[in-house]
Amino acid sequence: HWRNVHRLRRSEEDWFCAQVFRQASAWLERNHRYEHFYLHLDCFDPHEPWDPPAELVAQFDPQAYAVEGWKAAAPYAKWRGTMTEAQFRGARSRYAAKVVLVDRWLGHFLDAMDRLDLWRNTLVIFTTDHGTYNGDHGRMGKMQTHLHDASAHIPFIVAHPTLAHGERRQQLVQLVDTYPTVLAALGRPIPPERHGVNLLPVLADPAAPTRDFAISGVFGKSVSITDGRWVLHQSPVPGNQPLHWHSPYLAKFLPYDLGPYRDGRRVARTLPWPEPTWLSDTAADPNELENLAEARPDVLRRLQQALRQTLREVGTPAEQQERLGLT
């Protein structure tokens, strides 16, 4: 990656996120006069590779790229024993600098919204797919442990032409809510039996309901559920079975032996999951550093029952109840 890009970068405008937002601004210039339009931007940054301009990195670490053995990707592991102190500081600094870079070029796109007077008739939703560990729980990167707050509690910001300006809502929201919300904003019918919730009523009414619980997870690992205060990360049983990959296509990023495709699925032989079931009270412990699974069996049972019910409601394979020890 470094060989491919470093000679092509003559100014900040050559970084990927700058190109994305510049092109998006140009698209708005060409299309903003249409009565209806839909623009979906996927700005991969601030994901790895963490390789922002050196002058931005120097704001957080004077050594910038002068760190022996620096890498553009996180190790997805506990950083002690994997990285030196200098590498750890450098990785955190490059991530922070990448966030600054994205923020700056997102600003250019929002300037285009100002210039074209689009806020008065355009819905904008800003969100992401996941966070990352930058020393939280002693780790760097993602996926290697439960989806704690640093990974799963993501921003979801909505700018509506007339509703809820400068206000914050406390309802539970998931990424699947984007789909019905966009359809509703465009006046299109929402197909039945969707898992998402139209959030326009929530913008209009702070008391409008969404859902009682939100879930998240990673294939073959723990599954998490929250009521907005308490968070349960339910670990699989020893052996992490049964588990199937319900697709004819192979996983691109999962190091599992998925076996042949038969009867609509592949048998997934995964590694055992080393983490214990974890319960957090985010009102008292927002960083989820204390496991209360043994201290609060009443909350543990309540959230496990809620997870059983929620998994049934969204149509997950029955095997998930067995794999997670919820039968």
Side-chain angles (χ1 to χ4, degrees):
H1 164 75
W2 191 253
R3 286 195 303 269
N4 286 340
V5 301
H6 83 279
R7 289 190 180 90
L8 302 177
R9 290 174 169 171
R10 297 179 177 84
S11 72
E12 193 175 290
E13 293 185 354
D14 296 324
W15 261 258
F16 294 144
C17 63
Q19 295 185 54
V20 167
F21 288 121
R22 288 170 60 211
Q23 291 289 336
S25 300
W27 190 95
L28 286 181
E29 295 276 2
R30 296 192 304 270
N31 294 281
H32 72 278
R33 292 186 179 86
Y34 285 101
E35 182 179 359
H36 296 300
F37 66 79
Y38 176 75
L39 173 61
H40 189 114
L41 296 180
D42 180 2
C43 179
F44 198 61
D45 290 325
H47 199 286
E48 297 101 327
W50 295 339
D51 58 347
E55 59 270 22
L56 293 184
V57 183
Q59 295 180 14
F60 302 93
D61 181 3
Q63 293 189 74
Y65 287 97
V67 176
E68 184 178 356
W70 78 271
K71 295 180 180 178
Y76 291 12
K78 291 183 177 180
W79 72 268
R80 293 189 184 277
T82 307
M83 312 170 76
T84 66
E85 292 275 355
Q87 290 168 348
F88 175 60
R89 289 194 305 271
R92 286 161 55 98
S93 298
R94 290 195 309 279
Y95 180 81
K98 199 69 172 288
V99 171
V100 169
L101 181 67
V102 173
D103 183 68
R104 177 180 296 174
W105 285 97
L106 170 63
H108 282 268
F109 177 76
L110 301 182
D111 288 345
M113 293 282 298
D114 291 344
R115 186 171 62 255
L116 300 173
D117 193 26
L118 286 174
W119 298 107
R120 62 181 176 82
N121 61 2
T122 307
L123 177 74
V124 178
I125 298 175
F126 175 86
T127 188
T128 186
D129 55 343
H130 63 80
T132 190
Y133 297 110
N134 274 295
D136 317 74
H137 293 265
R139 298 176 181 273
M140 293 292 289
K142 60 182 181 181
M143 293 179 63
Q144 72 237 240
T145 187
H146 297 304
L147 290 181
H148 288 297
D149 187 89
S151 182
H153 190 180
I154 58 176
F156 198 99
I157 303 171
V158 180
H160 187 277
T162 60
L163 300 175
H165 291 177
E167 298 178 8
R168 182 165 185 161
R169 298 291 186 259
Q170 299 301 321
Q171 291 90 329
L172 289 169
V173 171
Q174 296 192 172
L175 289 176
V176 290
D177 299 336
T178 307
Y179 174 55
T181 301
V182 169
L183 288 178
L186 293 173
R188 302 294 192 228
I190 300 172
E193 300 181 359
R194 300 297 93 187
H195 297 153
V197 175
N198 171 19
L199 298 178
L200 295 187
V202 178
L203 298 181
D205 179 6
T210 55
R211 53 176 56 79
D212 294 326
F213 300 95
I215 59 172
S216 59
V218 176
F219 179 81
K221 295 178 169 59
S222 59
V223 176
S224 304
I225 187 167
T226 181
D227 62 4
R229 172 184 172 179
W230 292 92
V231 183
L232 168 66
H233 306 285
Q234 181 69 30
S235 286
V237 299
N240 201 6
Q241 291 293 329
L243 182 65
H244 294 88
W245 181 259
H246 292 263
S247 172
Y249 302 103
L250 292 173
K252 296 182 181 297
F253 301 108
L254 303 179
Y256 304 145
D257 176 9
L258 295 179
Y261 183 67
R262 294 172 182 165
D263 301 322
R265 62 187 188 179
R266 300 174 185 270
V267 177
R269 297 176 180 87
T270 74
L271 298 174
W273 180 245
E275 303 294 330
T277 290
W278 188 290
L279 178 69
S280 297
D281 178 4
T282 60
D285 178 22
N287 294 317
E288 294 196 69
L289 300 179
E290 183 180 6
N291 185 358
L292 299 176
E294 293 185 3
R296 293 299 306 268
D298 55 327
V299 180
L300 179 68
R301 286 192 297 269
R302 178 174 67 85
L303 287 182
Q304 285 176 331
Q305 174 58 33
L307 181 56
R308 276 194 292 269
Q309 181 62 31
T310 303
L311 291 178
R312 283 195 294 265
E313 290 174 354
V314 299
T316 56
E319 70 195 36
Q320 285 288 358
Q321 305 274 347
E322 183 178 351
R323 186 183 75 89
L324 295 170
L326 296 174
T327 54

